[in-house]
Amino acid sequence: MSNAETVRQRWKMRRRLSDLKVKLCDVTLLLAVSGLILAMLDVEFTATRILEGFVNTEDLSFILRTTAIVTTIALLFFLLFYHFIDIKIQLVETGTSNWRVGITSERVLNTLLEVAICAICPIPETGFVAWPQLSNIAEKTRQYVNIPISVLLTLPMFLRFFIVCRYMVLHSSQHQDTATRTIASLNHIAVDFRFVLKSEMYERPLFVLSIASILFWCVVSWMLTQCERYAYPSISGFQHFADYLWFEIITFFSIGYGDVQVSTYCGRGLAMLTAIVGTLFSSTLIALISRKLILTTCEKRVNHIIAENNITNEHKNAAACVLQNTWRTVLRTRDYDKTSTRRNQQRLARAQRMLLCSVLTFRKTRWKLRMQMEDEDDYFTARRAFNETEDRLQKVRQRQSQLDGKISTLFENVEALTQAVMSRKCYLRQ
């Protein structure tokens, strides 16, 4: 960056490329979701055949799959174009024109993985695959169910949701705010999905967990329906979805009533995935609730001050009761010494019992006060030590000021005495 004009040009170029990057992300998300919806419609229409009386199911399936393939090809093109723009932004930031700087092995692997994930889509004129059925009954275990290959190709298409994570990052307030990105870069923090997710979890934990849980339940329930519906063709698809939505929620929270079961390897795999994700979500929810229940430093300080004041007042009252009962005991002793009657003896015994009780109460309150002082956290201990040190330093400063005043007075007296002696000597010489 030789001059201000070069900086301005690079800033404009980077701003233009960043806006184009955001638009490409929006387009890729739209194409990914469109292809997924078309594939889901094809699976549902083929399995339920609800439109068989209006149109030919095979022709409709061919149209939907062809459209899904077209959207997939467009998605791959825009995805590669997105990475190309991302490389150009990195070249502008580094101030170089060598394209080898932006193409690293990690970027190449990530791009190839994204292309492989987005390239999966159902193909027209596909056959069936034999799916083993699992059951506690031996006769049913040997049976096989024919499942369309298009269904198996539709399930991995949900991996396209990684584009949603990218969309969240590019449209987040942390990424759009220049000051936030600058501060993050100065602290060696990348504004990526991990940082954005942690920030959102810190600000709105219940909202994020609720949306993620509901989305996960719906997606996995639909996937379980496709894995299990061909094993029980007599049950409707909506009934399958409702049953497996219940199964998902129960398995998610590790309850498991056992009323709904899975009979395929695909279903068991999704059930294990649900259990793992549910355990992670539950532990995260418990941690967030525990963090919300923890008192802040100011709240701890208020409770500690109130408790300490109450115990201090109780300790003072107990000490006053000890003095009061001591004086009563002395008076009752004098009365008993004067007249040794049974009534005075009972009064003396009652006063002695009250004195003993007040002494025990005083010891308990003193012990409570001591335990309260020991229960102070580091902040209160440091604050108390700071106050004590400040008081001692204040006393030292006062004594130093007094000493400086005395030294100044002594210096003035010495000066006056010196002048008087010098005047006396001059007078004697004259």
Side-chain angles (χ1 to χ4, degrees), residues 26-54:
D26 298 342
V27 173
T28 53
L29 178 61
L30 179 61
L31 291 174
V33 174
S34 300
L36 178 59
I37 292 175
L38 290 173
M40 292 174 63
L41 291 176
D42 172 58
V43 170
E44 291 294 331
F45 291 155
T46 304
T48 59
R49 296 183 179 275
I50 58 176
L51 299 179
E52 190 173 7
F54 302 95

Side-chain angles (χ1 to χ4, degrees), residues 184-195:
S185 62
L186 292 176
N187 290 276
H188 302 285
I189 296 176
V191 184
D192 51 3
F193 178 71
R194 177 174 173 271
F195 176 74

Side-chain angles (χ1 to χ4, degrees), residues 168-169 172 174 191-200:
M168 291 174 54
V169 173
S172 63
Q174 292 85 359
V191 184
D192 51 3
F193 178 71
R194 177 174 173 271
F195 176 74
V196 173
L197 181 61
K198 290 176 66 176
S199 301
E200 292 295 328

